[in-house]
Amino acid sequence: MSLVSFARRIELETRPIHPDTRRALDKRWAELPEHARTPEQLLGKCAVGCEGTHGVFPKCNLTCSPCYHSADANKVRIDGNHTVTEVTKQMNYLREIRGPRAHAQLIGGEVSLLAPEDHRAALQAMRAVGREPMSMTHGDFDYQYLLDVVLDETGKPAFKKVSFAAHFDSLMRGRTGAVRPKNEAELNPFREKFAQMFLDLKKQHKVDSYLAHNMTVTPTNLDEVEEVTRDVLQMPYDMMSFQPAAFIGDDRRWKENFEEVTIDAVWERIEAGVGQELPHKAVQFGDPRCNRHTVGVMVENRFASVLDADEPKDIAARDRFLKHYGGMIFGDIPRWALTVKVMRAVLSHPQDLPPLVGLMTRILRRAGGLRAVLRAARKGKVSFKTFVVHNFMDAEQVKPAWEMMKKGIVAEDPKLLETQERLGSCMYAMSHPETGELVPACTQHSVLDPIENIGLRKLLPLEPKDKAAKNNAATGISNGRVDELMKEPASRW
């Protein structure tokens, strides 16, 4: 490598905002519907949104009501080679379209049904193209499985940090030791046990972690959200995410009127569990009818939000940050490169330092003051927390709304128009390299998953291969044709 090439590479690595990131953000902003281009919108300013896998391991070993998987999901075999191959294709396409860095979920099905070496390989494939992967799980696996995922064949850590999102709620059936929980409190020992595994991982192998706690909310457990929030706050989870149930997936498992649970109703109960109001209007991911979140510092039992929309100085600081630093990448970067990157950013806009210092001062004040923070830190009771509500849409509206969007038709029906607006500003996308599409998660689950799983049943049948070959012969499907089938666009399966 010539000296000039080396210098160019170093300049690019330490540039505050990578040019590929800038292009991806500009594209994302341009694609947003007009109603979503608001000052508080983060998509297109500092993030492209979250990403997820699909069609890689749809099978799950719990039975939940509701369940977002299609009726065919559990009729598909878990296959590590298929998973790693498809994850690699999907993530490479996301890197091409959405830039060098994003958060991506390794989601199916149940991720712990993968052999640990396949789970590890999938995470490595995601990281290889700048994705920050999060494994989505019901949490019903043991510490040895976690070690087998995180440690390589030599027993050394394959990752410096791992992210897992564990789903716990009383609507789930089949968990070891809690087959049919009667209430949410019954699951607290399992929540604690799951989180403890990652504390042990850190202590024994120096591997950091980021843990999210997920919970589906229906009329049955809505009033328990307050208690769950209060209890989980005492556990080492970094994020608490709640999802009001939607009519998606296997309709045999729809037992209640999910429309009774609104995003406002869930948020009110989260606030009751925290014991204070949680400001959430200063920033927005996607459509406010879909997502609500806040980030802050937990100092003992007091939550100090990073931004408060009622504080004009906070909003001014937010706008400065988004304008000058939105899109900066901090993860998986060598320390020297990150140091130079930050120095270049600050030196480019030195006038931003006083407003940012003022913001930090206000956060400290909201946390009870510097002394309170230091006192709590000595007790190990200072941590960043994120509270999130994701409000999914019903398949009944998503299917026709998406079909019209594909044809360029703007719906006249108010409900379908709202659905189109929400789909157009979705923060969570799935990649389809074979068609050159990125689709919203609600579209994936409502429209494409059922079709994909029919194809996957033929590609990855549960029965032995010799029996499957006979069945394929009987239906006129050769092994080569199965391969061709999976290469076709999902809309043609």
Side-chain angles (χ1 to χ4, degrees):
M1 179 184 296
S2 69
L3 183 60
V4 173
S5 297
F6 177 75
R8 286 175 178 169
R9 183 173 70 84
I10 295 300
E11 190 280 327
L12 185 61
E13 286 186 14
T14 61
R15 193 180 300 183
I17 301 175
H18 195 286
D20 289 349
T21 298
R22 184 73 272 153
R23 284 191 289 270
L25 288 173
D26 291 344
K27 181 176 184 294
R28 188 73 185 94
W29 181 260
E31 292 171 344
L32 285 175
E34 191 64 34
H35 80 278
R37 297 181 196 173
T38 60
E40 63 270 17
Q41 182 62 252
L42 298 183
L43 295 184
K45 292 182 181 178
C46 74
V48 291
C50 293
E51 305 164 351
T53 57
H54 65 92
V56 291
F57 51 91
K59 187 177 176 62
C60 184
N61 57 346
L62 295 191
T63 58
C64 309
S65 296
C67 177
Y68 290 167
H69 299 296
S70 75
D72 288 308
N74 279 351
K75 299 174 184 177
V76 178
R77 167 176 98 248
I78 298 290
D79 185 285
N81 288 334
H82 169 81
T83 295
V84 175
T85 298
E86 292 304 311
V87 166
T88 301
K89 290 178 183 177
Q90 292 173 25
M91 294 299 115
N92 282 338
Y93 186 67
L94 287 166
R95 168 62 180 87
E96 177 185 340
I97 300 298
R98 289 163 62 107
R101 188 71 175 174
H103 291 272
Q105 295 181 355
L106 180 59
I107 186 171
E110 170 48 40
V111 71
S112 66
L113 294 182
L114 286 170
E117 60 271 18
D118 295 325
H119 188 163
R120 184 192 323 124
L123 295 178
Q124 290 171 326
M126 297 170 83
R127 287 191 176 278
V129 287
R131 277 36 225 164
E132 179 67 36
M134 175 175 277
S135 299
M136 309 299 286
T137 177
H138 53 43
D140 191 14
F141 59 82
D142 60 21
Y143 185 50
Q144 187 59 51
Y145 178 84
L146 177 61
L147 291 178
D148 291 342
V149 170
V150 175
L151 306 182
D152 63 20
E153 292 78 3
T154 67
K156 295 181 180 179
F159 312 101
K160 294 180 180 178
K161 183 178 181 179
V162 291
S163 297
F164 277 73
H167 202 117
F168 293 95
D169 62 58
S170 57
L171 309 169
M172 305 168 79
R173 300 289 182 264
R175 184 182 302 277
T176 305
V179 176
R180 294 183 65 87
K182 298 181 178 62
N183 53 57
E184 294 297 333
E186 190 176 328
L187 293 171
N188 281 345
F190 301 90
R191 295 176 170 116
E192 291 172 342
K193 180 181 177 182
F194 181 81
Q196 183 62 47
M197 291 195 298
F198 293 86
L199 296 180
D200 294 342
L201 182 67
K202 170 68 174 177
K203 182 178 180 180
Q204 297 171 10
H205 298 282
K206 313 301 181 188
V207 177
D208 292 322
S209 61
Y210 183 93
L211 296 185
H213 177 283
N214 290 351
M215 175 180 171
T216 298
V217 185
T218 73
T220 294
N221 64 351
L222 173 61
D223 288 334
E224 294 182 86
V225 168
E226 176 182 345
E227 182 181 6
V228 170
T229 302
R230 189 179 300 115
D231 291 342
V232 175
L233 273 176
Q234 305 307 313
M235 306 175 196
Y237 288 92
D238 303 283
M239 174 188 290
M240 296 181 65
S241 175
F242 298 85
Q243 298 92 42
F247 293 104
I248 303 174
D250 193 342
D251 58 9
R252 296 171 301 177
R253 301 186 186 178
W254 299 346
K255 307 295 184 184
E256 305 174 78
N257 180 11
F258 302 148
E259 294 178 356
E260 295 176 8
V261 181
T262 66
I263 194 169
D264 288 327
V266 176
W267 195 260
E268 288 170 3
R269 286 161 175 81
I270 298 171
E271 290 181 323
V274 179
Q276 65 185 83
E277 291 186 0
L278 299 176
H280 61 84
K281 295 182 179 180
V283 290
Q284 179 63 44
F285 275 113
D287 194 295
R289 293 165 290 192
C290 297
N291 308 295
R292 183 177 297 180
H293 87 288
T294 189
V295 180
V297 184
M298 205 77 198
V299 180
E300 295 208 57
N301 295 319
R302 184 170 181 167
F303 180 78
S305 61
V306 170
L307 292 171
D308 188 340
D310 293 331
E311 172 52 69
K313 291 181 179 179
D314 281 13
I315 300 305
R318 176 202 68 188
D319 293 344
R320 279 180 176 271
F321 178 86
L322 293 178
K323 181 179 180 180
H324 295 152
Y325 314 108
M328 281 188 65
I329 297 172
F330 298 95
D332 278 353
I333 296 176
R335 187 172 299 176
W336 69 266
L338 180 59
T339 301
V340 176
K341 181 192 290 276
V342 172
M343 288 176 62
R344 289 182 64 180
V346 171
L347 291 174
S348 297
H349 305 283
Q351 71 277 15
D352 292 345
L353 280 177
L356 293 176
V357 170
L359 175 61
M360 294 177 61
T361 302
R362 290 188 295 278
I363 295 172
L364 279 173
R365 188 186 310 132
R366 290 194 277 264
L370 180 59
R371 289 184 179 179
V373 173
L374 293 176
R375 187 165 54 247
R378 285 194 291 269
K379 300 177 186 176
K381 299 211 178 227
V382 175
S383 59
F384 278 95
K385 296 289 183 184
T386 302
F387 298 94
V388 180
V389 177
H390 291 304
N391 194 29
F392 298 112
M393 293 181 283
D394 298 337
E396 183 179 11
Q397 279 80 46
V398 172
K399 289 178 181 178
W402 181 252
E403 183 178 344
M404 286 187 284
M405 289 176 74
K406 295 283 286 181
K407 296 177 181 178
I409 300 173
V410 178
E412 295 182 1
D413 178 81
K415 187 66 177 177
L416 293 182
L417 178 59
E418 174 188 323
T419 303
Q420 288 184 330
E421 291 175 346
R422 293 171 65 179
L423 290 173
S425 53
C426 181
M427 66 159 289
Y428 184 23
M430 269 78 170
S431 155
H432 287 263
E434 72 281 359
T435 62
E437 290 179 294
L438 298 181
V439 303
C442 284
T443 297
Q444 181 66 47
H445 297 318
S446 296
V447 181
L448 300 180
D449 275 352
I451 303 170
E452 285 186 5
N453 287 336
I454 292 172
L456 287 170
R457 284 186 62 185
K458 298 170 183 175
L459 179 69
L460 303 172
L462 292 176
E463 59 263 36
K465 288 185 178 180
D466 56 346
K467 184 176 179 181
K470 292 180 182 178
N471 290 341
N472 289 343
T475 57
I477 301 177
S478 67
N479 288 336
R481 175 62 186 133
V482 170
D483 292 338
E484 293 174 9
L485 184 69
M486 292 303 294
K487 292 178 182 177
E488 292 179 358
S491 58
R492 295 178 58 190
W493 293 354

